[in-house]
Amino acid sequence: MTMSSPIVAMLWENWRLTSAEAVWRLALGIVGGLALLVVFAAVAPNEAAKDFGAVSALVLVVMLHTSGWFRLVTLTGRRPGFPLYLLYSRPVRTAVAVGVPMAYQALFPAALYLVSALLLRITSGYAFPLLPVAAWITAINVSSLATNWSIRNVAV
C-alpha cells in the first residue's frame, strides 16, 4: 500500500498496531457491560441494584478506554519514551511525528467509548454519559501520553 502523505502513513501504522486491541476492548466493554447489567438485574430486581449494575458497567467501560495501548508499550520494552521512533522512514517534522500518533492514541479510545456507551445506552435504556466522559478520556490519555513519552528514566 502506497501512502500519499506521512500523516496517512502514521495513522495507518497506528491502526495496524492497535486494531486487534481496539476490537478486544470494544467487545469486552460491550459484552462485559451488558453482563453486569443482566447480572445485577437478575440478582436483585429492585431499582437500586439495577442502577448499581449500570454504574458498574459504566466504570468497566471507562476503565477499559482510559488505560494505555498495551501493544505500543511492548515496542519500547515496557520502558517510558516515544514508542514509534523507528517506524517512519520518511523525514517529517517532530510536531507531526509526535502529534499525529498522540492525537490518534488519545481520540481513538474516546471514539471506542462512545460506541460502547451508545450501544449500552440503546440496549439497556440507561442514559450513559457520552461526550463529557469522552472528553475526560481524551484528556487523561493526552496527559498520560505526554508524561510517558517525555520521561526516559524508568525510576520516575
Side-chain angles (χ1 to χ4, degrees):
M1 172 184 251
T2 60
M3 299 291 164
S4 59
S5 78
I7 293 174
V8 173
M10 287 183 222
L11 290 173
W12 175 256
E13 185 65 22
N14 276 280
W15 168 252
R16 187 186 68 78
L17 290 171
T18 60
S19 60
E21 189 175 347
V23 170
W24 174 80
R25 286 182 185 198
L26 187 63
L28 186 60
I30 294 168
V31 172
L34 287 175
L36 283 171
L37 288 168
V38 168
V39 165
F40 279 102
V43 169
N46 58 7
E47 285 300 314
K50 291 179 183 177
D51 293 343
F52 185 73
V55 169
S56 300
L58 178 64
V59 168
L60 172 74
V61 172
V62 169
M63 293 306 290
L64 278 172
H65 299 300
T66 55
S67 61
W69 294 101
F70 300 118
R71 172 70 173 105
L72 293 175
V73 172
T74 61
L75 293 176
T76 59
R78 304 204 189 290
R79 292 186 317 260
F82 185 66
L84 306 171
Y85 59 94
L86 294 175
L87 294 180
Y88 308 125
S89 60
R90 292 177 61 184
V92 293
R93 294 187 339 252
T94 303
V96 174
V98 173
V100 171
M102 185 176 282
Y104 174 88
Q105 293 174 29
L107 292 173
F108 193 53
L112 290 175
Y113 165 77
L114 287 173
V115 171
S116 299
L118 192 59
L119 284 172
L120 288 175
R121 186 182 224 184
I122 290 169
T123 57
S124 70
Y126 283 98
F128 289 100
L130 297 176
L131 293 180
V133 176
W136 274 103
I137 289 173
T138 302
I140 288 169
N141 283 323
V142 165
S143 63
S144 68
L145 286 169
T147 303
N148 189 28
W149 289 359
S150 64
I151 296 174
R152 297 294 296 170
N153 190 351
V154 177
V156 174

